[in-house]
Each structure stands twice: as C-alpha cells, then as structure tokens.
Amino acid sequence: MARLKHPNVVRILAECSEDHGFHYFVMEYVDGGDLRRAVLARMYPRYLLLPLLKTIAEVLCQAHRQNVIHRDVKPANILLRSDGTPLLTDFDIALVGDSTGGTRTGALGTFLYAAPEVLEDARKADVRTDVFSLGMTALFAFQGEEISLATFRNPVAAVQKLTCANTVKDAILKAIEQEPNRRFSDIAAFLQKLSCEEAEAARLLGEAEIFLTYGLKAKASAHLAKASELEPDSIDLHARIRNLYLSMGDQGGVARECVVLAI
C-alpha cells in the first residue's frame, strides 16, 4: 500500500514496525466513516455515487499499472473524508507482482464482493478480480441496501431495478459477469463505460445551450429532453439542465431537476 502514491489512497505514515512482539503500521486517520455505513444510513448523496466509483476506478487503474491487485474492493474499504472525498484502503491482501499476497491459497476477500474464481483459488486473481468487486460495490451503492445471497447468485434482476442510467446498469452487469473472460478486460474499460453517459449528456447540453442562444427553442428543448433522459449522475450537469429549463420557462422540467438535486 505504501508504494501507491495517489490522493485517493489512504496514506501509510509509518511502515511495518514491532512493539513487544506485535507488528503494526500507522495509517492516516480518515474522519468521515466508510461508504457502506454512509449508504445504509442514507447519508451519501446519490448524485455523488458515480463520481465516487470513477475515482476508485482511477485508483485501481494506477494500482494495476504498478502490478498491484487489491483483491478486497468493497464499500467498507472505501473511506470518506468529512467532505465526502473517497479513499481506498486495506491493501493487506493485495497481490503484488509475482507475490502471493500472503500465504493463503484458498478463498479470500469478502464473500459477496469477491469474484467467483478467487473464492476457489486466490492464485487465480488478476485485474478482472477487481473489476468484479468494484461492480458489486456499484450495485450495493445504487441499490442502497446490503447485497443478499439471492442477489449475489442472480444479480440481473437487482441491477435492472436500479435508479441509474441504462449505460451504468449495462456497465455493472458486464463487470460482475461470473466468467472472467466475459467481464471488462481491465478497470480502464469499465471506467470508460461508466463515463459514456455523462459525456453524451454534456454534449447534448452544450448543443442545447447554443440553440437557445440563437433562439432555436424547439431544438434546444429536444436536446435538453434527451440529456435529461440519460439521467446523468453529475450534480453540475443536473444544475445546467435545471438552468436551461428555467431559461425556457419550463416549470415542469425545473421541478424534476430540483427533486434530483435534493436527493
């Protein structure tokens, strides 16, 4: 963990030391709890979930570039600063280079978030293991409740019920495929899929703003409706949608976006 230098990884302040036969290391204190508790307590805003997942994906991308596989990505291992900034922690069973990540060769990680292949044999872990765990973390976060054993065994129905954009649902379903070869090949591909909807919504909003500037209200309204239907999870995009509805005097649209911004 100490080898990873990233603003969203919990810092190691003192590496492994010993005191009267006890081995320990010192980590920075993070004062906002963890994602699991925040989601279950309804204390983490829904519109921040996708940015949080993208941030953790970026951390994992860097870890994988350094040949480090986390192997225990889960909501409880995503700590939060008091301002909501997420930090990934608990690399204690990480696979580094050609190491075994410890002496265990059986199942590892937390059962409901662990990829099926590592439940059988820890040595089968690769970058797709972290893809699966991040996908299950996303399912938990958008679902807003603990993942049941039934959901773990057959997650498709649960994902389809999520209140998020269809592109995000598709990304989660691909990430949590039981067979590693059917998942995203790496975290970067997962991250790209998660970002598609936001990019398209931003493009539509930009064009809507241009149309409105030139008095083309009908075209602006059509693009705005399409952007709204994409259900972007960015607070900035929702604020822009609301402001455009205000500019056009569409009180219904304003009311819908105000509800989203209040969640």
Side-chain angles (χ1 to χ4, degrees), residues 75-141:
N77 281 341
I78 299 173
L79 303 185
L80 303 171
R81 296 199 190 281
S82 56
D83 64 358
T85 301
L87 296 94
L88 186 59
T89 189
D90 204 5
F91 282 79
D92 62 320
I93 63 170
L95 180 68
V96 182
D98 294 326
S99 76
T100 62
T103 59
R104 290 180 290 181
T105 57
L108 61 92
T110 303
F111 172 67
L112 292 175
Y113 295 90
E117 63 272 15
V118 297
L119 290 175
E120 298 174 358
D121 187 344
R123 292 169 295 188
K124 293 182 179 179
D126 62 20
V127 296
R128 296 168 299 181
T129 299
D130 286 347
V131 169
F132 181 93
S133 297
L134 185 60
M136 292 301 289
T137 297
L139 172 54
F140 162 80

Side-chain angles (χ1 to χ4, degrees), residues 144-158:
E145 59 186 35
E146 296 283 19
I147 294 173
S148 66
L149 187 56
T151 295
F152 177 78
R153 288 173 174 163
N154 184 19
V156 176

Side-chain angles (χ1 to χ4, degrees), residues 1-6 8-9 55-71 73 88-89 91 94-97 126-127 130 186-188:
M1 186 168 167
R3 68 187 285 183
L4 289 175
K5 304 300 181 184
H6 191 285
N8 296 100
V9 171
T55 296
I56 299 303
E58 290 166 357
V59 171
L60 291 170
C61 280
Q62 177 170 320
H64 293 169
R65 284 194 295 270
Q66 294 181 234
N67 214 18
V68 176
I69 301 169
H70 189 286
R71 301 202 295 185
V73 177
L88 186 59
T89 189
F91 282 79
L95 180 68
V96 182
D126 62 20
V127 296
D130 286 347
D186 55 31
I187 286 286

Side-chain angles (χ1 to χ4, degrees), residues 191-219:
L191 176 60
Q192 182 178 21
K193 184 68 172 178
L194 288 174
S195 303
C196 285
E197 205 94 335
E198 300 289 294
E200 177 63 7
R203 183 189 69 78
L204 289 167
L205 280 176
E207 292 181 1
E209 288 164 344
I210 292 171
F211 287 140
L212 197 58
T213 299
Y214 287 95
L216 302 173
K217 187 174 179 179
K219 287 189 174 182

Side-chain angles (χ1 to χ4, degrees), residues 146-203:
E146 296 283 19
I147 294 173
S148 66
L149 187 56
T151 295
F152 177 78
R153 288 173 174 163
N154 184 19
V156 176
V159 172
Q160 291 173 342
K161 292 178 183 177
L162 298 179
T163 55
C164 59
N166 288 332
T167 301
V168 175
K169 295 179 187 178
D170 292 342
I172 293 173
L173 283 173
K174 187 171 178 63
I176 61 176
E177 285 278 4
Q178 294 291 298
E179 293 294 328
N181 289 336
R182 300 185 65 181
R183 294 177 207 146
F184 293 105
S185 59
D186 55 31
I187 286 286
F190 187 15
L191 176 60
Q192 182 178 21
K193 184 68 172 178
L194 288 174
S195 303
C196 285
E197 205 94 335
E198 300 289 294
E200 177 63 7
R203 183 189 69 78

Side-chain angles (χ1 to χ4, degrees), residues 35 39 42-55 83-84 141-142 163-165 168 198 231-239 257-263:
L35 181 63
V39 167
R42 302 291 191 270
M43 294 176 61
Y44 201 80
R46 178 186 173 280
Y47 66 82
L48 290 179
L49 290 177
L50 192 55
L52 176 146
L53 292 167
K54 291 178 182 178
T55 296
D83 64 358
F142 281 109
T163 55
C164 59
V168 175
E198 300 289 294
E231 300 177 356
D233 287 276
S234 163
I235 186 63
D236 293 332
L237 290 181
H238 278 294
E257 291 307 309
C258 284
V259 169
V260 171
L261 290 166
I263 294 177

